[in-house]
């Protein structure tokens, strides 16, 4: 007889499944209990000296507690509505984050990081300022419109080839959020009343929840969003297998994505209308839910809602007690937890194990033909040389012909931009008279008007633009990535927060050195946490976004603590403004440029070699670590000084090296061309801000942000070479 037949034993998989179900039930029960405890604490903590016993009496209707006007006000009108709002909004944002992560197959997807919150915020602000909207339904309608626009753009980007890369999608969301934020700033920057309402609401807070009016109006919308999220779970699970397999199972991927967008929009819009924009909550809830449930989407959605409710309620409790008698913004509390989680996700090796690999990691080590600068080729007979040899006695210089022509053209363009900026707003002075006045000739009154009142502002803009352009060129070259710029590395926001903190501590506007100190602190944190600049591809950029979020939260808190007049003027500066700037404020940057530009030119040869990989650079006698350190210190100093002049002017450091590289060619790192382009961009943006709206000045930073967001999207989603130096 042969050996007995061995039949496969199916019990171990069933045992594993049952263990998994029991673990899931245990986790759900634990989380539910935690939410109940937090709910009880939320009802018991707060102003009014009403303790847990009084709250319990009121809830149960004992000892005539509901007849007490004090308890009715504190518990019935304040604490119960606030707690229910925290639970519902937290659940809504947690569910929305889970849905976005599933539909984009991206563990970094979240309504705040992808710009959906910013779109909803823009809608609410536009409704308030343009039409005077005051009702809950009015807020919801306008928030819904802004969130629809943002959600549609996010899903469109995710559907493009390479656009769904986890880190690249987050950067695209950052570009969308920046653009929406810039447009929002255009609406409020010249209205003190609108800004006074906005500066507290934008922090995301439950302090303004009183009574059940808004909550009753928006609960049906939240309920519809939750129901749609649960109904779409099964088709969305099939979508995770790929569009072709999903179609084979009878689902329509396009329709599924539209339904998900509707659910996310309903949940996000109603949440923003209730408490303002709150970022990182969906990221936290989705990540923790996925860690508990694994790939099962329906339990993920349920747990994400539960976790979101608990996190927001707990954060609201902390917001009430950490800075008594004041109340901290709840969004800042969540950012303190969410930013480290974002960093942890980016650093985690499980990023690929979750089925959400990052195609961009391949780009951190792009093919040599993209990294290696083009070398001069043998010149065929009759063809003009690519470089000119300039000799002066025993000295000789090799000048790239294309770079020289580009430099001369940019210098001419810069002169034209200066003349145009000096002319803008002068209705009785023609271009010819303005041009003469710039150079000190012509009518004495024209010369006084232009050189005394206009050129000081222009010189400040030239200095700031040159510093930003050079800083961006240095950081992009170091990281071998065109997205590694000061604003995306958290440098600008760190410098801004440092300047505001120094102003708060000293009672006067921050000293010029505060900007470089804050910028240095920010870049040290980013490079340390991310594992080093230029070594981890897009990781350093996402860590920079987390750093920017934390620094921006600090900035908003500082502004919310100041008087309206002081906060309004500082808000204009934090948007990036040259208003009131003169020769005196430009002096530190001009001195910095006089010192740092020659140093940058000295290391330019090493920078050219550094565009190879580190081993090649080392074999050519260059120490990559030392060059990176020197150049990073140069870039940080330049960016910090620029922020001290005009605040955080965004996207100039991103665009300047990209444009300069296209003009000057690949033979050299375009240091000087980047400075010229940066100066041109800042001066022209300042001119546009002064003349585009009659009688209203738009700060230069808002102009560059509104225009720079689409530019960043183009860099991200254009040809693959567009993301590399």
């Amino acid at each position: 007889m042969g050996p007995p037949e061995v039949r496969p034993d199916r019990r171990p998989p069933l045992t594993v499944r049952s263990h998994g179900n029991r673990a899931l039930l245990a986790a759900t029960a634990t989380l539910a209990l935690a939410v109940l405890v937090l709910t009880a604490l939320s009802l018991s903590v707060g102003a009014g000296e009403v303790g847990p016993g009084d709250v319990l009496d009121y809830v149960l209707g004992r000892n005539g507690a509901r007849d007490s006007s004090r308890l009715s006000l504190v518990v019935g009108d304040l604490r119960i509505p606030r707690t229910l709002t925290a639970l519902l909004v937290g659940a809504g944002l947690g569910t929305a984050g889970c849905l976005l992560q599933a539909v984009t197959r991206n563990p970094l997807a979240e309504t705040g990081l992808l710009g959906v919150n910013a779109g909803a915020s823009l809608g609410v602000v536009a409704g308030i300022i343009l039409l005077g909207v005051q009702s809950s339904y009015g807020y919801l309608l306008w928030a819904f419109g802004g969130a629809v626009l943002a959600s549609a753009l996010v899903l469109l980007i995710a559907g493009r080839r390479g656009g769904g890369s986890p880190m690249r999608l987050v950067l695209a969301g950052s570009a969308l959020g920046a653009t929406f934020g810039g447009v929002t700033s255009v609406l409020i920057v010249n209205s003190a009343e609108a800004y006074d309402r906005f500066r507290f609401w934008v922090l995301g807070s439950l302090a303004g929840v009183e009574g059940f009016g808004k909550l009753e109006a928006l609960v049906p919308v939240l309920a519809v969003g939750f129901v749609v999220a649960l109904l779409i779970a099964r088709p969305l699970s099939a979508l995770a297998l790929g569009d072709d397999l999903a179609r084979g199972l009878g689902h329509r991927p396009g329709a599924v994505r539209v339904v998900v967008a509707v659910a996310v929009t309903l949940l996000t819009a109603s949440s923003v209308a209730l408490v303002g924009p709150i970022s990182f909550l969906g990221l936290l809830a989705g990540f923790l839910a996925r860690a508990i449930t694994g790939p099962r989407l329906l339990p993920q959605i349920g747990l994400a809602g539960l976790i979101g409710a608990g996190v927001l309620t707990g954060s609201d409790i902390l917001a009430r007690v950490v800075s008594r008698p004041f109340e901290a913004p709840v969004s800042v509390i969540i950012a303190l937890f969410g930013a480290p989680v974002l960093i942890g996700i980016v650093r985690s090796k499980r990023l690929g194990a979750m089925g959400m690999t990052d195609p961009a990691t391949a780009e951190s080590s792009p093919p040599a033909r993209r990294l290696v600068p083009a070398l001069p080729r043998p010149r065929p007979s009759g063809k003009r040389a690519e470089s000119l040899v300039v000799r002066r006695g025993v000295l000789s210089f090799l000048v790239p012909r294309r770079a020289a022509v580009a430099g001369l053209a940019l210098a001419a363009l810069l002169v034209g931009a200066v003349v145009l900026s000096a002319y803008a707003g002068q209705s009785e002075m023609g271009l010819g008279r303005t041009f003469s006045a710039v150079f000190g000739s012509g009518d004495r009154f024209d010369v006084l008007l232009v050189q005394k009142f206009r050129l000081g502002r222009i010189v400040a803009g030239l200095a700031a633009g040159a510093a930003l352009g050079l800083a961006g060129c240095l950081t992009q070259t170091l990281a071998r990535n065109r997205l590694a710029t000061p604003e995306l590395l958290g440098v600008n926001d760190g410098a801004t927060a440092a300047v505001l903190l120094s102003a708060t501590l000293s009672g006067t506007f921050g000293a010029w050195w505060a900007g470089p100190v804050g910028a240095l602190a920010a870049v040290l944190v980013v490079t340390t946490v991310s594992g080093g600049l230029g070594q981890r591809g897009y990781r350093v950029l996402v860590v920079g976004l987390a750093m920017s979020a934390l620094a921006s939260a600090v900035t908003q808190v500082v502004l919310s603590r100041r008087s309206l007049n002081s906060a309004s003027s500082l808000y204009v500066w934090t948007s990036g403004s040259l208003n009131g700037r003169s020769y005196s404020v430009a002096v530190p940057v001009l001195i910095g440029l006089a010192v740092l530009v020659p140093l940058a030119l000295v290391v330019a040869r090493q920078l050219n070699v550094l565009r190879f990989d580190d081993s090649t650079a080392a074999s050519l006698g260059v120490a990559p670590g030392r060059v990176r350190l020197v150049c990073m210190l140069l870039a940080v100093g330049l960016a910090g000084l620029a922020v001290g002049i005009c605040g955080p002017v965004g996207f100039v450091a991103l665009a300047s090296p990209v444009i300069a590289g296209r003009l000057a060619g690949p033979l050299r790192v375009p240091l000087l061309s980047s400075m010229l382009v940066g100066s041109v961009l800042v001066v022209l943006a300042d001119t546009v801000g002064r003349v585009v709206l009659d009688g209203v000045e738009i700060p230069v930073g808002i102009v560059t942000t509104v225009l720079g967001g689409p530019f960043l999207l183009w860099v991200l989603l254009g040809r693959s070479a567009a993301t590399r130096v």
Side-chain angles (χ1 to χ4, degrees):
M1 296 178 60
E5 181 181 358
V6 179
R7 297 182 179 179
D9 189 354
R10 300 183 182 275
R11 284 179 297 176
L14 292 176
T15 303
V16 171
R17 190 177 305 150
S18 63
H19 280 305
N21 290 334
R22 283 200 297 268
L24 178 58
L25 288 174
T28 304
T30 302
L31 287 171
L33 180 61
V35 171
L36 288 176
V37 171
L38 290 171
T39 301
L41 280 175
S42 179
L43 293 174
S44 304
V45 174
E49 298 181 357
V50 176
D54 295 328
V55 174
L56 188 60
D57 288 341
Y58 182 88
V59 172
L60 299 178
R62 300 183 312 193
N63 302 325
R66 294 188 180 177
D67 296 328
S68 170
S69 59
R70 184 170 68 94
L71 290 179
S72 296
L73 173 63
V74 174
V75 181
D77 293 339
L78 296 178
R79 292 190 187 175
I80 291 179
R82 179 171 182 159
T83 302
L84 290 177
T85 301
L87 292 171
L88 289 173
V89 169
L93 292 177
T95 302
C98 183
L99 291 176
L100 271 178
Q101 290 172 16
V103 75
T104 60
R105 291 175 244 174
N106 184 345
L108 304 178
E110 190 261 341
T111 56
L113 292 176
L114 297 188
V116 180
N117 283 1
S121 301
L122 172 59
V124 172
V125 172
I128 292 173
I129 294 179
L130 300 180
L131 296 179
V133 173
Q134 298 292 336
S135 67
S136 301
Y137 283 117
Y139 285 176
L140 174 64
L141 182 63
W142 283 84
F144 185 85
V148 164
L149 176 61
S151 299
L153 290 174
V154 165
L155 293 180
L156 180 64
I157 292 169
R160 287 179 59 92
R161 182 180 178 182
S165 157
M167 297 183 184
R168 184 176 293 178
L169 185 58
V170 170
L171 295 171
S174 176
L176 289 177
T179 302
F180 291 143
V183 177
T184 302
S185 298
V186 171
L187 296 175
I188 68 170
V189 72
N190 288 290
S191 172
E193 180 182 355
Y195 171 69
D196 191 33
R197 298 169 62 182
F198 174 80
R199 64 177 173 146
F200 296 104
W201 177 80
V202 74
L203 289 172
S205 175
L206 289 95
V209 176
E210 297 180 2
F212 292 93
K214 285 187 176 181
L215 191 59
E216 289 177 348
L218 298 179
V219 160
V221 182
L222 284 169
V224 172
F226 288 129
V227 171
V228 173
L230 294 175
L231 293 177
I232 201 63
R234 185 172 180 179
L236 190 54
S237 299
L239 207 64
L241 303 174
D243 287 5
D244 293 336
L245 285 176
R247 291 189 188 95
L249 294 173
H251 301 292
R252 298 167 60 187
V256 172
R257 291 189 176 95
V258 170
V259 175
V260 169
V262 170
V264 169
T265 301
L266 288 173
L267 295 170
T268 303
S270 52
S271 299
V272 170
L274 278 169
V275 301
I278 297 178
S279 297
F280 290 111
L281 184 56
L283 177 77
L284 274 168
F287 175 74
L288 295 176
R290 187 170 56 253
I292 294 171
T293 66
R296 292 174 289 178
L297 187 57
L298 187 58
Q300 269 186 39
I301 293 174
L303 277 187
L306 196 60
I307 293 170
V311 170
L312 185 55
T313 304
S315 299
D316 185 45
I317 295 170
L318 287 176
R320 286 181 249 170
V321 301
V322 293
S323 60
R324 284 184 171 179
F326 300 103
E327 183 169 318
V330 68
S331 63
V332 176
I333 303 293
I334 293 177
L336 292 175
F337 294 106
V341 170
L342 173 61
I343 294 170
I345 294 173
V346 174
R347 291 180 62 92
S348 175
K349 295 180 180 179
R350 295 180 60 194
L351 189 67
M354 284 187 265
M356 302 178 185
T357 54
D358 177 19
T361 55
E363 294 178 6
S364 60
S365 299
R369 64 185 181 89
R370 295 294 187 189
L371 281 180
V372 178
L375 300 176
R377 298 176 180 176
R379 178 170 56 96
S381 58
K383 187 175 181 179
R384 193 170 54 177
E386 294 182 356
S387 299
L388 295 174
V389 179
V390 179
R391 291 186 175 88
R392 289 292 182 271
V394 296
L395 299 178
S396 63
F397 304 93
L398 192 64
V399 180
R401 187 186 299 272
R402 179 176 171 181
V405 172
L408 292 175
L410 287 172
L413 181 61
L414 183 59
V415 172
V418 169
V419 173
L420 179 62
S421 182
Y423 165 76
Q426 304 297 331
S427 56
E428 298 180 359
M429 188 185 300
L431 279 175
R433 290 171 55 188
T434 303
F435 187 84
S436 299
V438 167
F439 292 96
S441 60
D443 185 80
R444 293 179 60 187
F445 177 77
D446 292 348
V447 173
L448 176 66
L449 187 63
V450 170
Q451 294 197 351
K452 178 69 175 177
F453 298 103
R454 292 281 180 179
L455 282 186
R457 176 176 183 153
I458 294 172
V459 168
L462 292 174
L468 290 172
L470 180 56
C473 183
L474 291 172
T475 53
Q476 288 182 10
T477 305
L478 294 180
R480 297 197 285 268
N481 189 326
R482 285 189 175 179
L483 302 177
T485 57
E487 60 263 29
L488 292 181
L489 294 177
V491 172
N492 283 6
D493 286 306
T496 303
V499 171
L500 287 183
L501 286 175
S502 69
T504 301
L505 295 175
S506 64
T508 59
F509 190 71
W512 65 267
W513 49 263
V517 170
L520 179 60
V523 81
L524 285 176
V525 172
V526 170
T527 53
T528 301
V529 172
S530 62
L533 186 66
Q535 302 298 317
R536 300 292 181 179
Y538 280 64
R539 177 191 290 182
V540 67
L541 301 178
V542 179
V543 175
L545 290 179
M547 183 67 210
S548 293
L550 290 174
S552 179
V554 172
T555 298
Q556 295 295 340
V557 171
V558 171
L559 291 177
S560 69
R561 298 286 192 226
R562 301 184 72 94
S563 66
L564 178 59
N565 290 335
S566 174
S568 297
S569 59
L570 286 176
Y571 176 75
V572 172
W573 177 82
T574 59
S575 301
S577 175
L578 288 170
N579 189 24
R581 305 292 93 181
S582 61
Y583 297 107
S584 59
V585 298
V587 168
V589 177
L590 292 174
I591 295 175
L593 288 173
V595 174
L596 299 179
V597 170
L599 291 176
L601 294 177
V602 168
V603 299
R605 183 180 181 85
Q606 285 76 17
L607 278 175
N608 284 319
V609 177
L610 206 63
R611 290 190 290 177
F612 297 89
D613 59 84
D614 286 1
S615 59
T616 303
S619 67
L620 294 175
V622 174
R626 189 191 317 161
V627 173
R628 282 198 180 92
L629 177 61
V630 172
C631 291
M632 179 52 65
L633 291 176
L634 293 175
V636 167
L638 290 166
L641 289 172
V643 170
I645 282 187
C646 56
V649 177
F651 294 103
V652 172
L654 168 70
S656 298
V658 174
I659 297 172
R662 291 292 180 91
L663 294 176
L667 287 178
R668 298 287 187 275
V669 177
L671 296 176
L672 296 179
S673 295
S674 297
M675 293 174 59
L676 291 172
V677 173
S679 295
V680 170
L681 291 179
V682 171
V683 172
L684 288 180
D686 183 52
T687 305
V688 170
R690 287 191 283 120
V691 303
V692 69
L693 295 178
D694 188 25
V696 175
E697 180 174 325
I698 301 174
V700 60
I702 295 177
V703 176
T704 59
T705 298
V706 172
L707 300 178
F711 183 86
L712 175 55
L713 287 176
W714 173 77
V715 173
L716 281 166
L717 303 176
R719 296 180 303 170
S720 59
T723 62
R724 305 185 188 112
V725 173

